Amino acid sequence: MSALPLYAQLINLLAALLLLLAFAMLAQRRVVTLIDLFAAQGLALACSTAIVAYATAQPHLYFSTAITVALKVLLLPWLLHRLVRKLDVKWDVEGLINVPTTMIVGLVLVIFSFNLAVPISQLASTVTRATLGIAMATVMLSFLMMITRRKAIPQVIGFLSMENGLFFAATSATYGMPMVVELGIALDVLVAMLILGVFFFQIREQFDSLDLKHLERLKEHGD
């Protein structure tokens, strides 16, 4: 059996790092560190995309790499850190379930994702098809992080991380999306982040907390 080319080994290494960072984000309770992990995940995604662009001679993936670095490594983490400083939010100690249980559920989701990706990756003809299972597992872990956190900012980071997983899945299966689609998604994510920033300030002003259980209580009083 011949050894994998160097670019394929690097892509597999970065895919494993992407999954490891998703697990780290799932277990992390400090919001500031969670933002840094999201930036590191964006950097791993950008490096993987650049290697795929070089190995497959797909020029549009270089633009995707630039967008990922600008948006997910620099701009969004900067905006999130700015929000955290202004809102004075540093810890997210409360979750719906504890960390060990969350990690066990995460392992089950990873196994499920890999089994689900097997028939799909067999149909794909890309050099990165082997990483499709990791991409789907990253999406699942990010979704799990969204539904197990009570605070608004970690839920938004979970959403952004899930978008990372979806982009990595697109790169793995089809060498990425058309540039116009990627630009549209990048703009949508940026606008959504700005709107959510205003939303965070409104929640903090009204309830002096970003815990979403206050919104549930408000809904109960409204009913």
Side-chain angles (χ1 to χ4, degrees):
M1 184 175 178
S2 60
L4 287 174
L6 178 60
Y7 67 82
Q9 295 179 37
L10 290 174
I11 291 170
N12 289 338
L13 176 63
L14 289 168
L17 179 60
L18 205 69
L19 183 61
L20 182 63
L21 288 169
F23 267 111
M25 292 170 71
L26 190 62
Q28 183 58 238
R29 288 294 182 263
R30 186 173 172 83
V31 175
V32 173
T33 307
L34 194 60
I35 297 172
D36 293 336
L37 288 172
F38 167 71
Q41 192 181 58
L43 182 60
L45 179 63
C47 292
S48 174
T49 306
I51 293 172
V52 174
Y54 174 79
T56 61
Q58 300 280 338
H60 73 94
L61 289 178
Y62 288 115
F63 292 101
S64 301
T65 301
I67 292 172
T68 300
V69 171
L71 190 64
K72 299 177 182 178
V73 180
L74 301 175
L75 183 57
L76 288 180
W78 178 78
L79 287 174
L80 287 168
H81 276 297
R82 184 179 176 86
L83 279 173
V84 166
R85 287 195 300 269
K86 286 185 174 295
L87 296 170
D88 194 25
V89 177
K90 295 181 180 180
W91 290 89
D92 177 38
V93 296
E94 186 178 0
L96 297 179
I97 54 179
N98 57 36
V99 173
T101 304
T102 303
M103 299 302 285
I104 292 173
V105 175
L107 287 173
V108 172
L109 288 176
V110 169
I111 295 171
F112 171 76
S113 299
F114 273 86
N115 287 321
L116 186 64
V118 169
I120 303 174
S121 60
Q122 289 175 347
L123 296 175
S125 58
T126 61
V127 297
T128 54
R129 61 184 181 273
T131 61
L132 186 58
I134 292 181
M136 296 181 67
T138 302
V139 173
M140 292 288 190
L141 292 176
S142 301
F143 182 70
L144 178 63
M145 185 174 74
M146 286 179 63
I147 65 177
T148 57
R149 299 299 177 91
R150 299 192 66 97
K151 299 292 176 64
I153 291 180
Q155 289 188 348
V156 170
I157 297 174
F159 167 76
L160 295 173
S161 177
M162 186 165 62
E163 200 273 331
N164 282 346
L166 290 172
F167 181 81
F168 188 62
T171 305
S172 301
T174 62
Y175 294 146
M177 298 170 285
M179 181 54 56
V180 64
V181 177
E182 293 178 10
L183 289 173
I185 292 175
L187 180 61
D188 289 344
V189 170
L190 181 58
V191 171
M193 188 63 232
L194 295 175
I195 294 173
L196 285 169
V198 177
F199 181 59
F200 292 158
F201 281 107
Q202 290 295 326
I203 296 176
R204 185 59 180 265
E205 183 178 344
Q206 294 294 324
F207 303 108
D208 197 30
S209 172
L210 290 179
D211 197 321
L212 295 183
K213 66 184 179 182
H214 295 301
L215 297 183
E216 297 173 2
R217 293 174 182 171
L218 182 62
K219 181 179 181 298
E220 291 174 359
H221 289 312
D223 294 338

